[in-house]
Amino acid sequence: MGYFCPMAKSADHFKDVISHAKEYGFVVPSSEIYDGLSAVYDYGQNGAELKNNIRSYWWKAMVQLNENIVGIDAAILMHPTTWKASGHVDAFNDPLIDNKDSKKRYRADVLIEDYVAKIEGKIEKEIQKAKKRFGEAFDQEQYVSTNPRVVEYRKKAETIIKRMARSLEKEDLADVKTLIEELEIACPISGSRNWTDVKQFNLMFGTKLGASAESATDLYLRPETAQGIFVNFLNVQKSGRLKIPFGIAQVGKAFRNEIVARQFIFRMREFEQMEMQFFIRPGSQKEWYEQWKEKRMKWHLSLGLGEENYRFHDHEKLAHYADAAADIEFKFPFGFKELEGIHSRTDFDLASHEEYSGKKLQYFDPELNESYVPYVVETSIGLDRMFLAIFSQALQEEELENGSKRTVLRVPSILAPVKAAILPLVKKDGLPEIGHKLVDELKCHFNLQYDEKDAVGRRYRRQDAIGTPYCITIDHQTLEDQTVTIRERDSMDQRRISLSEVADVLKKEVDMAGWLARL
Ligand code: ATP
């Protein structure tokens, strides 16, 4: 076995992530031959597989494991009144601000949040210093609540966030600008503090339905998948004879004309959401909200990317539809950011669709013997963001015993694009034939790659780089005793097993069922 030592992620880790994603067929800018389209991306051959597998792990955890959750697939285009009822026409805005010198546009709330993140960074530094100083005896709770410097930083951060939330809620955009000025926030590009006023900007993409300009109807590309579920609530409940509490899940594209579209696939203009709306009795929302927070965190942790990379963040500023909301944040290469939202949406959406459509959207509860508009707790995660979380965490550089380096993508084996590579040691002596036969035997169960080019060491490296958990090498001994070498990606351990065992070994290690059973 080769000894290896994981190397600290470089300061340029995010750049490495983006270039690795391109070089190995995961993610590339859309229409790249025309210089790309801002914040729109295509998934290549390995990216599409990884994305499919993440989608499938989510779908199975939601729909297959829960008797009372079903999945649907609603259209992207919806009746335009949907977006009036949902509040998106009036309220799906981001506050934007321009820097007059660099002509760059920013989200005012993000500028302020970034400022606060710097304060949080200072707190973290103080904690780390104190940890070193006090050693074993260090009590973090006590330290952060008593150390005067930390207490002051925390108070400052809280005051800023509270004031921003209040001003945004009251639509007091002038105060948001004043706050930016008071904090002396400068444009990261020009360094100047020459700001325009803060304005609201609606994030929905418009499009038209119909042939002629006069008769065409103005539509929107959906900015979230949730509304496709709300408008179908009764269809699904009745056709599925579902009893509250029950959930409806969906995966699909959503579109947002984001003001600040950077950070690769973290913030895209076209992206995919995995959402689940859970319909419950009014009054029980607190309990279900807590349950779903816990369940979703468990799903994330099951992937083994490290507990320290997740945290909850409760919302100060609630969206127009919510009575409680929290994010599951992940430690991306650029810091902790929202990965998933869990929202207690009350009866806002269904009640509003009742009002706009004139149709009753109520449920008759046989136990209570009464009808009501159900309350909803939703879980909403971006598939692309989940992809980035996994990909950026999994991509690692290691130094091997012999001093050489290897790049390895330690994605959870169930999500790996290719489950096993079949590698005949040489291109002769009947070894390729055995390889092809093995591929034929396994290909109905697993996505495989057959590779006979180059030295086997280089082939291993290529598979490490795309995260293939197993390499199966066929050599001359195979001809004699029907055994092959199986090499594990993470440990680089190699052992011989018989050809007839390969399918079972793979099934045990890369089958989603085992992972789902632990949820
Ligand atoms: P943010 O504050 O980052 O703009 P949001 O709070 O508007 O996100 P939601 O409306 O709650 O996000 O959407 C649910 C999930 O959809 C998010 O947690 C995120 O994973 C994903 N998502 C939202 N916007 C984008 C985007 N532009 N690109 C990729 N994923 C997105």
Side-chain angles (χ1 to χ4, degrees):
M1 183 200 141
Y3 167 79
F4 63 85
C5 165
M7 293 164 64
K9 289 196 173 123
S10 75
D12 280 342
H13 182 61
F14 192 36
K15 275 198 191 129
D16 297 342
V17 164
I18 297 169
S19 62
H20 194 88
K22 179 170 172 193
E23 191 178 342
Y24 287 92
F26 284 90
V27 184
V28 288
S30 155
S31 14
E32 204 187 12
I33 58 166
Y34 296 105
D35 298 331
L37 184 64
S38 167
V40 186
Y41 290 88
D42 295 342
Y43 287 82
Q45 66 281 23
N46 289 317
E49 292 288 344
L50 175 53
K51 199 174 168 199
N52 274 344
N53 293 338
I54 300 171
R55 191 191 286 114
S56 170
Y57 190 55
W58 182 89
W59 185 272
K60 287 182 179 187
M62 278 293 175
V63 177
Q64 202 168 307
L65 292 195
N66 292 291
E67 240 178 84
N68 59 350
I69 298 182
V70 295
I72 66 164
D73 183 16
I76 288 171
L77 299 178
M78 298 183 71
H79 191 285
T81 310
T82 309
W83 305 111
K84 277 208 173 316
S86 69
H88 283 81
V89 171
D90 294 325
F92 194 52
N93 302 317
D94 275 345
L96 68 84
I97 189 164
D98 292 304
N99 183 270
K100 290 184 194 163
D101 297 318
S102 67
K103 308 272 181 265
K104 286 282 167 199
R105 178 159 282 185
Y106 297 93
R107 261 173 66 175
D109 56 334
V110 171
L111 281 181
I112 296 168
E113 278 166 8
D114 285 350
Y115 182 90
V116 170
K118 280 194 196 132
I119 302 179
E120 280 165 355
K122 285 184 189 163
I123 297 176
E124 191 50 42
K125 258 199 198 134
E126 294 289 336
I127 293 174
Q128 291 313 326
K129 266 200 293 186
K131 240 186 207 158
K132 270 205 196 123
R133 209 166 52 233
F134 294 111
E136 292 275 296
F138 183 61
D139 178 343
Q140 186 162 328
E141 287 273 301
Q142 195 196 347
Y143 179 76
V144 295
S145 56
T146 52
N147 178 278
R149 200 173 300 162
V150 172
V151 170
E152 196 179 314
Y153 281 146
R154 280 176 104 188
K155 205 166 127 209
K156 186 169 178 196
E158 263 169 40
T159 315
I160 295 170
I161 289 292
K162 282 221 167 87
R163 172 157 161 208
M164 179 182 82
R166 212 174 39 238
S167 305
L168 287 174
E169 216 148 304
K170 286 193 310 194
E171 288 278 321
D172 185 355
L173 299 181
D175 188 60
V176 177
K177 181 180 179 185
T178 311
L179 182 58
I180 288 175
E181 285 171 342
E182 279 176 19
L183 297 174
E184 301 189 344
I185 296 175
C187 165
I189 293 187
S190 64
S192 117
R193 288 188 234 128
N194 194 6
W195 297 108
T196 62
D197 287 341
V198 178
K199 281 181 288 211
Q200 290 290 20
F201 176 78
N202 193 289
L203 300 184
M204 284 196 292
F205 279 104
T207 185
K208 287 192 184 295
L209 179 118
S212 71
E214 306 83 64
S215 65
T217 314
D218 285 317
L219 296 185
Y220 296 105
L221 300 183
R222 67 180 178 195
E224 63 175 24
T225 53
Q227 298 306 321
I229 290 178
F230 290 125
V231 299
N232 276 300
F233 154 72
L234 264 195
N235 290 335
V236 177
Q237 188 267 322
K238 290 206 164 125
S239 58
R241 296 148 50 90
L242 298 168
K243 284 209 173 70
I244 269 178
F246 71 89
I248 306 180
Q250 177 172 219
V251 181
K253 286 273 170 118
F255 302 81
R256 296 182 186 181
N257 199 1
E258 299 279 2
I259 300 168
V260 193
R262 52 187 156 92
Q263 295 170 322
F264 193 38
I265 55 172
F266 179 81
R267 192 175 298 289
M268 303 157 89
R269 296 203 163 104
E270 172 180 341
F271 59 102
E272 215 163 318
Q273 286 186 315
M274 307 191 284
E275 296 200 296
M276 192 280 300
Q277 269 68 39
F278 201 69
F279 298 88
I280 54 175
R281 271 186 195 161
S284 65
Q285 66 268 31
K286 188 114 198 71
E287 177 193 323
W288 284 111
Y289 171 70
E290 293 302 333
Q291 268 202 38
W292 277 108
K293 271 174 73 175
E294 196 183 310
K295 264 189 121 149
R296 291 304 302 147
M297 187 57 107
K298 200 167 172 203
W299 183 84
H300 284 286
L301 296 181
S302 75
L303 289 170
L305 298 177
E307 206 166 325
E308 68 285 2
N309 292 315
Y310 300 85
R311 69 181 189 195
F312 281 113
H313 168 79
D314 292 319
H315 280 210
E316 285 284 341
K317 175 183 184 278
L318 292 174
H320 58 276
Y321 51 74
D323 76 353
D327 297 335
I328 293 177
E329 293 188 337
F330 184 79
K331 196 169 180 193
F332 288 96
F334 36 84
F336 271 103
K337 295 269 177 214
E338 171 176 349
L339 171 59
E340 168 157 9
I342 294 115
H343 310 128
S344 172
R345 285 181 87 126
T346 69
D347 61 354
F348 173 85
D349 302 86
L350 289 179
S352 185
H353 284 305
E354 268 201 329
E355 188 187 328
Y356 277 84
S357 68
K359 309 264 165 41
K360 271 209 168 341
L361 294 176
Q362 302 200 351
Y363 170 80
F364 177 74
D365 193 324
E367 281 166 38
L368 298 181
N369 200 25
E370 65 176 66
S371 294
Y372 53 79
V373 178
Y375 269 42
V376 170
V377 170
E378 88 174 349
T379 71
S380 174
I381 175 168
L383 175 50
D384 313 84
R385 242 180 231 190
M386 185 65 199
F387 185 110
L388 181 60
I390 293 169
F391 193 85
S392 58
Q393 183 58 30
L395 184 62
Q396 290 174 16
E397 284 269 317
E398 286 170 359
E399 194 166 319
L400 304 183
E401 200 175 30
N402 61 8
S404 67
K405 284 185 190 152
R406 77 159 177 162
T407 302
V408 54
L409 192 67
R410 291 171 172 266
V411 284
S413 59
I414 50 164
L415 304 182
V418 175
K419 300 297 190 244
I422 311 296
L423 315 172
L425 194 61
V426 289
K427 261 190 273 183
K428 54 182 186 184
D429 304 335
L431 304 189
E433 286 74 8
I434 301 178
H436 287 301
K437 194 162 159 258
L438 186 59
V439 169
D440 283 342
E441 268 173 43
L442 300 176
K443 71 183 179 191
C444 294
H445 300 282
F446 314 105
N447 194 33
L448 305 168
Q449 224 171 56
Y450 175 88
D451 188 3
E452 55 178 27
K453 274 187 239 104
D454 302 324
V456 77
R458 288 184 65 180
R459 283 182 265 170
Y460 284 157
R461 292 290 175 277
R462 279 203 290 269
Q463 296 300 331
D464 286 343
I466 63 167
T468 307
Y470 295 99
C471 288
I472 314 285
T473 306
I474 295 150
D475 57 17
H476 290 93
Q477 196 181 327
T478 314
L479 298 169
E480 288 161 25
D481 64 5
Q482 305 289 301
T483 63
V484 289
T485 304
I486 182 161
R487 171 195 183 263
E488 280 181 24
R489 176 196 69 198
D490 293 347
S491 63
M492 292 183 287
D493 272 345
Q494 299 189 15
R495 64 197 161 102
R496 287 201 85 89
I497 59 171
S498 87
L499 261 174
S500 58
E501 280 177 285
V502 174
D504 282 342
V505 170
L506 289 184
K507 243 180 234 159
K508 190 164 149 251
E509 303 297 338
V510 303
D511 190 6
M512 241 178 229
W515 294 55
L516 288 167
R518 289 197 293 271
L519 278 177

